Amino acid sequence: GAVVSQHPSWVICKSGTSVKIECRSLDFQATTMFWYRQFPKQSLMLMATSNEGSKATYEQGVEKDKFLINHASLTLSTLTVTSAHPEDSSFYICSAEARGTDTQYFGPGTRLTVL
Amino acid sequence: RKEVEQDPGPFNVPEGATVAFNCTYSNSASQSFFWYRQDCRKEPKLLMSVYSSGNEDGRFTAQLNRASQYISLLIRDSKLSDSATYLCAVNTGNQFYFGTGTSLTVIP
């Protein structure tokens, strides 16, 4: 149980394009989903927390207009990196907190490379 | 002060050794605690939750010390496959906080 999927698992795009990453909880309902970014050999950095049906809460320094988060259902959240630039290249990982629990389960991550 | 602090290591230990990691947290009202394992270029995976009474899963033992506000992870009889980064996590009820991770390498 508690499986979280992410799609795509990796993406290469040109500078200036937008990239959409999906995060799904496959066998449970996730009231809260989290988006993290991790640069090589660095720790997880929380970008934003999203609750189903409401606006995401962004961490300080994370541009909400650049990283658009939509949490339209209890099993799906999306992160759109708008007008991506090479400095946005990173490993983006989502996690989901199952309803009634306080445990986060992570998706397999999306490796984004912006040329 | 960071919400959660971990010694980044690296810890290099021989196969079969016992190794322990600690993780301190600053919010005394923190409610639940976890250890995750992250392999290189992979997502973190839940290793175990940490309960007040301590819990054990095979070679892994996790303990919570509320008075001193730290959690620990003990790995006995280390295997090569235990090499990874170990992240502690604390849920304050309002937010999850992750440590920066402790790197473990088990050497043959």
Side-chain angles (χ1 to χ4, degrees), chain A residues 34 36 38 43-44 46 59 91 93 97 102-109 111, chain B residues 31-32 34 36 38 41-46 49 87 91 95-96 98-100:
Chain A
F34 305 84
Y36 294 85
Q38 188 173 36
S43 58
L44 287 173
L46 179 65
E59 294 299 298
F91 189 42
I93 315 174
E97 187 173 317
D102 58 4
T103 306
Q104 284 191 37
Y105 297 93
F106 285 86
R111 200 160 297 281
Chain B
Q31 300 176 1
S32 46
F34 309 88
Y36 286 80
Q38 185 175 26
R41 299 173 71 85
K42 298 280 190 180
E43 79 278 18
K45 293 192 175 174
L46 181 65
S49 302
L87 303 164
N91 188 341
Q95 197 156 344
F96 245 88
F98 282 88
T100 53

Side-chain angles (χ1 to χ4, degrees), chain B residues 30-93:
Chain B
S30 296
Q31 300 176 1
S32 46
F33 309 86
F34 309 88
W35 282 102
Y36 286 80
R37 170 195 170 128
Q38 185 175 26
D39 292 288
C40 188
R41 299 173 71 85
K42 298 280 190 180
E43 79 278 18
K45 293 192 175 174
L46 181 65
L47 184 62
M48 56 201 311
S49 302
V50 188
Y51 305 118
S52 297
S53 55
N55 50 311
E56 187 174 315
D57 182 4
R59 298 181 292 108
F60 298 83
T61 301
Q63 293 204 308
L64 166 64
N65 185 316
R66 282 196 183 272
S68 300
Q69 293 184 202
Y70 74 85
I71 60 173
S72 63
L73 177 68
L74 182 79
I75 305 175
R76 289 182 298 279
D77 188 24
S78 300
K79 310 289 185 193
L80 298 177
S81 57
D82 294 334
S83 298
T85 296
Y86 291 83
L87 303 164
C88 64
V90 173
N91 188 341
T92 63

